[in-house]
Amino acid sequence: MIILKENKNSISLILLFLCSVVIAYKTPQVINTIFQIILLIFFWRSKNNYFWLAFVFIVESEIGFLFPKADPRFSFSILPNSPFGNLYFSLVFLFVAFTKTLRKKPPFPLVVKKQIIMLSLYFFILLFIFGVFKAPAVLRLTLPWLLLFIVPHFCSTAKEIHNFFELIFPFVFIVLFSQVIYLSTGSQLGSFFGGIHSLVLRSGVAIVDTEHALRPVYGIQVPFMAIWGSLYFLSLKDTCFSKNYLFIILGISTFSIFITATRSWLVSSFFLIFFFLFISSRKKAKTLIQAIGMGIIVIVAISYSPSLQKQTELSFDRYETLESFATGDITAGGTLKRFDVRVKRPMLGFSKSPFIGLGVGMKYNFYADGHVGYHNLLMSSGIIGFLLWIMLWGMFLIKMLKLFNKMSPLHPYKTTPLILIAFMISILLIHTSTQWFGFLINFNNALFIALLFAMGSRLYYAKEYE
């Protein structure tokens, strides 16, 4: 009852998503193209911009390997396989969204505006020196930075932020469902709709027939965003969400990330939870009891599913390798190649141009490896650019600390700056294994960053703190 009551405004988004899946997978491309153009028209005329932002985020998350970039035929594209590559819906959405924002005055400046301008100028200098490795690809991976200007317009009020996360929360259950399908059958959810690459990615066995944890990682950004949202609203003194509902979302989201057996994402998620429990929560004992209660419910639910039960056991085995990493074994018992093998290529590129980096030119493309985020960022940005990135992170953290100290203890958003600091750190933790910050970025990663900066800027430039 709690879940149905909280999600009454999300049914339309779920139906739109399901409709998009059917049209993309079961109709000719021309129908799919017309459908997407109609969606863009509705978006242009809509006042609920946060709805469409949530829709594109869900599509770009590739839940159950639906709408994957690796499968051009079934990617959510207005024109697939054009001479300039796939014309993804998200790219046209960015153009339309940015055009909509030009008609209005920015609701507030970004707290890291100067740092963003400096990084932008530095990027253009690198473009002038090194050029680009492939113009369409670079364009597709730089346009998402427009979200820095778009999100402050689309999520500028408390109500819009609430509505955005309200739309995201129910999809946590859809992600978990897709993971259960994969663990039970060995096939991605997209396979059942006819996805070609979904069949190629078929593991061949279900989890009950293997001794190694499967990796149901597609859609992982949805539960991670839900963790952000649930902790954000739990930190508020007053929220329109039921606290029980938020704890349900938090518990399911954390478990969904846990069974992916993805170490950096789980470490980041646990960091957020512990940060909230022991630093930000005002009622630590009560909150801890509620969190434990949700954990018990999840454990009981697992016991009814052999697939989840075995995946949980195998995931624990994979996470145990972090112990050897903590004791100095950078290979994590031979299971982690990032810090002894994969770093060599970007570091070799870094040695070619250590001070200014390689930009996004042909040499960058040769040495790039997005699985070692900091090394790849150092290779592309050089020492100078890397320091500019540190300034970006540091300035946001400093301003949030200043905001926290300035706020009255009675302010309803008193702990929110600390939560936003934790959000930034959570990205930087994942950045060790999957690059988030960089000149090139995908839609969803840019949305996380833009939403973080927008939420922080909205509070920082508010007129009253007492």
Side-chain angles (χ1 to χ4, degrees):
M1 291 299 295
I2 294 175
I3 295 173
L4 291 176
K5 182 179 178 181
E6 294 290 352
N7 293 327
K8 60 182 179 180
N9 295 324
S10 305
I11 296 175
S12 56
L13 182 60
I14 295 173
L15 292 176
L16 177 59
F17 176 71
L18 295 177
C19 181
S20 300
V21 171
V22 172
I23 290 176
Y25 281 83
K26 298 300 181 181
T27 66
Q29 177 59 43
V30 63
I31 302 298
N32 191 22
T33 298
I34 294 173
F35 172 70
Q36 292 183 43
I37 293 174
I38 292 173
L39 290 184
L40 290 169
I41 294 173
F42 275 106
F43 165 54
W44 175 258
R45 297 169 61 89
S46 175
K47 294 181 179 180
N48 299 327
N49 294 311
Y50 55 83
F51 176 92
W52 298 97
L53 194 65
F55 171 71
V56 179
F57 171 75
I58 294 299
V59 168
E60 290 291 304
S61 295
E62 301 184 2
I63 298 174
F65 210 62
L66 291 166
F67 307 123
K69 296 291 192 299
D71 197 349
R73 166 63 182 86
F74 297 109
S75 62
F76 206 60
S77 304
I78 297 178
L79 289 176
N81 300 319
S82 72
F84 301 100
N86 278 25
L87 183 60
Y88 297 115
F89 179 85
S90 60
L91 296 179
V92 184
F93 171 84
L94 286 169
F95 175 77
V96 175
F98 186 66
T99 304
K100 289 184 73 173
T101 63
L102 293 178
R103 300 183 299 175
K104 300 178 182 179
K105 182 180 179 180
F108 44 75
L110 291 177
V111 294
V112 289
K113 181 178 179 181
K114 292 181 180 179
Q115 288 70 35
I116 291 172
I117 292 175
M118 291 171 65
L119 278 166
S120 300
L121 292 174
Y122 188 71
F123 175 60
F124 285 116
I125 292 173
L126 293 179
L127 285 180
F128 179 78
I129 297 174
F130 298 104
V132 298
F133 67 89
K134 191 176 181 182
V138 171
L139 182 62
R140 287 198 303 269
L141 293 172
T142 52
L143 279 178
W145 280 118
L146 289 176
L147 288 168
L148 288 173
F149 308 97
I150 295 169
V151 173
H153 286 273
F154 288 6
C155 296
S156 61
T157 66
K159 182 179 180 181
E160 289 172 334
I161 293 173
H162 171 277
N163 291 345
F164 173 80
F165 281 107
E166 182 184 38
L167 293 167
I168 298 298
F169 286 156
F171 283 89
V172 168
F173 301 96
I174 297 177
V175 171
L176 183 60
F177 171 76
S178 73
Q179 292 174 315
V180 172
I181 292 295
Y182 178 58
L183 296 175
S184 302
T185 66
S187 294
Q188 299 288 351
L189 184 61
S191 299
F192 297 94
F193 290 93
I196 299 173
H197 278 72
S198 297
L199 295 174
V200 174
L201 289 177
R202 178 183 170 89
S203 67
V205 293
I207 188 63
V208 294
D209 299 318
T210 183
E211 296 303 320
H212 300 282
L214 298 183
R215 306 296 302 281
V217 297
Y218 293 102
I220 192 173
Q221 290 176 318
V222 174
F224 192 67
M225 179 68 83
I227 290 176
W228 271 30
S230 57
L231 292 180
Y232 172 79
F233 289 107
L234 284 169
S235 71
L236 302 180
K237 291 183 179 181
D238 296 306
T239 175
C240 296
F241 289 109
S242 160
K243 292 293 182 70
N244 290 332
Y245 175 67
L246 291 174
F247 275 109
I248 290 173
I249 294 299
L250 180 61
I252 296 298
S253 299
T254 305
F255 177 69
S256 179
I257 291 177
F258 173 84
I259 61 174
T260 64
T262 306
R263 287 166 288 203
S264 62
W265 287 79
L266 185 70
V267 169
S268 181
S269 301
F270 276 172
F271 163 77
L272 287 172
I273 294 171
F274 287 125
F275 187 98
F276 171 75
L277 288 177
F278 298 108
I279 298 178
S280 183
S281 176
R282 295 178 300 278
K283 299 178 180 179
K284 296 180 176 61
K286 180 180 178 181
T287 303
L288 184 59
I289 291 173
Q290 289 175 305
I292 293 174
M294 263 313 308
I296 294 174
I297 293 174
V298 170
I299 292 172
V300 171
I302 293 171
S303 65
Y304 286 95
S305 172
S307 297
L308 288 178
Q309 193 170 9
K310 185 168 184 181
Q311 176 70 7
T312 300
E313 295 172 358
L314 295 177
S315 295
F316 268 120
D317 293 339
R318 181 173 171 82
Y319 291 127
E320 284 178 356
T321 60
L322 290 172
E323 181 179 352
S324 59
F325 181 82
T327 58
D329 179 8
I330 62 173
T331 68
T335 67
L336 189 64
K337 296 182 179 181
R338 284 183 173 87
F339 301 115
D340 67 330
V341 176
R342 306 196 74 144
V343 299
K344 294 180 180 179
R345 194 176 190 88
M347 283 295 92
L348 181 60
F350 170 71
S351 68
K352 306 294 182 181
S353 180
F355 293 104
I356 63 172
L358 295 175
V360 292
M362 294 301 297
K363 290 185 178 180
Y364 160 83
N365 190 45
F366 179 78
Y367 293 109
D369 189 339
H371 289 285
V372 280
Y374 288 102
H375 300 82
N376 210 52
L377 185 62
L378 186 62
M379 180 270 293
S380 63
S381 306
I383 295 175
I384 297 175
F386 196 77
L387 290 175
L388 292 177
W389 285 107
I390 292 176
M391 289 173 60
L392 175 73
W393 308 329
M395 185 54 62
F396 181 80
L397 297 177
I398 290 171
K399 288 195 173 182
M400 289 303 100
L401 280 175
K402 287 182 177 179
L403 178 59
F404 172 75
N405 293 326
K406 189 176 181 179
M407 282 182 167
S408 164
L410 300 178
H411 196 284
Y413 287 90
K414 174 62 177 178
T415 59
T416 303
L418 296 180
I419 289 294
L420 297 181
I421 288 174
F423 289 172
M424 171 64 83
I425 296 174
S426 71
I427 295 178
L428 295 176
L429 287 172
I430 296 176
H431 189 72
T432 59
S433 61
T434 302
Q435 185 170 2
W436 279 47
F437 287 100
F439 299 123
L440 306 182
I441 194 169
N442 62 44
F443 183 95
N444 278 9
N445 288 357
L447 177 58
F448 272 97
I449 296 169
L451 185 62
L452 174 62
F453 289 163
M455 293 167 72
S457 301
R458 171 179 167 268
L459 288 181
Y460 188 82
Y461 290 104
K463 295 181 180 179
E464 298 293 338
Y465 295 116
E466 298 179 358

